[in-house]
Amino acid sequence: MPKRVTVAIPTYKRGKLLIDALQSIIVQNVAFNFEILVLDNDCDKALEKKILKIEHPENICLKYIAVPDLGLHNGRNRAAVESNGEIVIFIDDDVITPSGWLEAMYAPFQDSQVGAVGGKTLPKWEVPPPDWLKSIPSDYFSLLDLGDTSREMHWPQTPYGCNMAFRRELILTLGGFPPDGVGDGWIEWKRGDGEIGFAKRVYDEGYKILYSSEAWLYHRIPEKRQTVGFIRRRAVKGAISEAYSEAKHSSPSRLSLLTQAAKHTAKAAIAALKQLAVTFRGVESWLKYDILWVHHSISAIYKIRLALDSDLRKWVYKQHYWTDSASAAIAQRLVKL
């Protein structure tokens, strides 16, 4: 029999999508008991009532947990604290899971050296995507497709948050997930590298991370995400996460940060000139330079801020990002591990 399993779903103001995701999970045909935790950043009482009214089999425990500290990472970390599962499976609130997904997601953990699993994630387009979107990297939509054969992953390959699983003990002992999604704004300066940064810690501890083609699901992609504006916002977030990760792991001096910012500024200028040269050839031609311009511009600004803002530096170099209440609960959990 499997060890205890938890499915955790952080959510924020997407009730309809969440209910669809829940409905696809409660029909999973598995022989073991498991729990589903809904971690709501919106603390919506009406949503809580809807969730608790959902009928489900006796082998499932469905819980709603309000998480007032805004941030996707706060929901994930709270799930690890509240979980009764030894394996915590994380999905987004806009996925649809097919039959067999849950069992396939758990199966690799029978190997004690497996610390994490990333499931295959396929797009479910609400409308047919425009041709130019084919040139955009799949990670912009949190899609993971390494083929139809399950295999071990190697750094820098990592799972994505919409379909991943970790041993709860590792989440608690390695400091939890660094910040990732924090709010609705375009620019979130206090943004980290999320599941990618945490997966690096798991690798560093000597654990294996596996890719499972059998644990596949659909990630819903609405029309509003099929726009140049959305791609630019993703580029902004990606630039901040990458700059955070570089600083976190290398601890550069302030002079080094300013030097790096100057190099990013030069690269941004070159990208802008290249974009200008192909402006009239269509979005397929200029978008890649636009993304480069955004990436280097934001990277330059971030590193200047990090060099000059002592509060931001303290935040980046924090050992962990648990809330105070979570830290106390973790201490109690660790005693039991």
Side-chain angles (χ1 to χ4, degrees):
M1 288 293 289
K3 298 178 181 179
R4 293 187 297 274
V5 176
T6 297
V7 178
I9 316 175
T11 189
Y12 182 61
K13 295 185 177 181
R14 295 201 291 195
K16 174 62 170 65
L17 295 175
L18 171 68
I19 297 300
D20 290 346
L22 283 171
Q23 294 290 359
S24 74
I25 296 170
I26 62 177
V27 297
Q28 294 288 314
N29 185 20
V30 293
F32 53 86
N33 298 338
F34 66 96
E35 66 178 356
I36 303 173
L37 304 183
V38 175
L39 299 308
D40 184 14
N41 260 167
D42 195 34
C43 304
D44 183 350
K45 289 292 185 181
L47 179 62
E48 178 181 9
K49 291 179 180 179
K50 288 182 181 179
I51 289 172
L52 297 182
K53 287 181 179 179
I54 294 176
E55 295 184 4
H56 52 79
E58 292 183 357
N59 68 320
I60 300 175
C61 177
L62 178 57
K63 298 180 182 178
Y64 170 94
I65 300 173
V67 184
D69 296 314
L70 188 62
L72 175 59
H73 64 286
N74 286 326
R76 290 175 180 163
N77 289 337
R78 180 70 176 276
V81 174
E82 299 287 346
S83 169
N84 289 308
E86 297 174 54
I87 306 301
V88 186
I89 301 172
F90 297 92
I91 60 173
D92 283 355
D93 57 9
D94 57 354
V95 306
I96 299 294
T97 63
S99 175
W101 164 80
L102 180 57
E103 190 166 13
M105 201 68 178
Y106 167 78
F109 289 100
Q110 296 178 47
D111 180 350
S112 63
Q113 289 303 304
V114 172
V117 172
K120 184 175 185 177
T121 305
L122 302 175
K124 187 174 183 61
W125 306 99
E126 287 191 354
V127 298
D131 289 339
W132 61 263
L133 210 59
K134 296 175 183 177
S135 65
I136 302 302
S138 59
D139 60 348
Y140 273 54
F141 302 101
S142 300
L143 303 177
L144 179 65
D145 187 354
L146 301 181
D148 295 330
T149 302
S150 298
R151 59 183 176 83
E152 186 174 350
M153 302 172 78
H154 299 280
W155 179 257
Q157 294 175 326
T158 65
Y160 293 138
C162 59
N163 190 17
M164 66 181 186
F166 290 88
R167 293 187 183 276
R168 186 193 65 191
E169 180 180 0
L170 291 179
I171 303 173
L172 299 182
T173 57
L174 297 182
F177 294 97
D180 189 350
V182 178
D184 291 328
W186 258 63
I187 302 180
E188 304 154 359
W189 295 115
K190 286 190 174 181
R191 177 183 178 87
D193 50 9
E195 66 266 26
I196 294 175
F198 184 72
K200 178 65 164 59
R201 297 181 197 172
V202 174
Y203 277 125
D204 290 346
E205 289 293 310
Y207 285 88
K208 294 188 289 187
I209 297 181
L210 300 187
Y211 162 76
S212 174
S213 60
E214 292 85 3
W216 67 274
L217 54 66
Y218 286 117
H219 191 200
R220 299 167 70 165
I221 303 176
E223 185 176 9
K224 66 181 180 180
R225 293 188 182 181
Q226 301 178 35
T227 65
V228 171
F230 174 80
I231 299 303
R232 284 175 176 151
R233 288 192 290 275
R234 288 289 290 184
V236 168
K237 296 175 188 296
I240 295 173
S241 292
E242 185 175 318
Y244 164 94
S245 186
E246 290 175 1
K248 188 81 171 182
H249 296 120
S250 63
S251 301
S253 66
R254 281 182 281 181
L255 178 58
S256 177
L257 286 168
L258 293 173
T259 300
Q260 292 174 26
K263 292 179 179 179
H264 281 299
T265 300
K267 291 179 179 180
I270 293 172
L273 290 173
K274 289 182 177 180
Q275 180 183 359
L276 183 62
V278 297
T279 297
F280 300 104
R281 295 184 184 177
V283 65
E284 297 90 345
S285 299
W286 59 258
L287 184 57
K288 61 181 178 180
Y289 298 118
D290 185 72
I291 292 172
L292 282 174
W293 174 80
V294 169
H295 174 83
H296 288 298
S297 297
I298 294 297
S299 297
I301 296 171
Y302 182 89
K303 290 180 178 181
I304 291 171
R305 289 179 65 99
L306 190 57
L308 303 179
D309 187 341
S310 60
D311 288 338
L312 182 58
R313 286 198 304 278
K314 290 177 183 177
W315 182 85
V316 168
Y317 297 124
K318 288 176 66 172
Q319 185 175 3
H320 63 76
Y321 298 89
W322 300 111
T323 60
D324 291 340
S325 59
S327 295
I330 292 166
Q332 295 178 357
R333 285 278 192 179
L334 292 178
V335 170
K336 300 176 182 179
L337 290 176

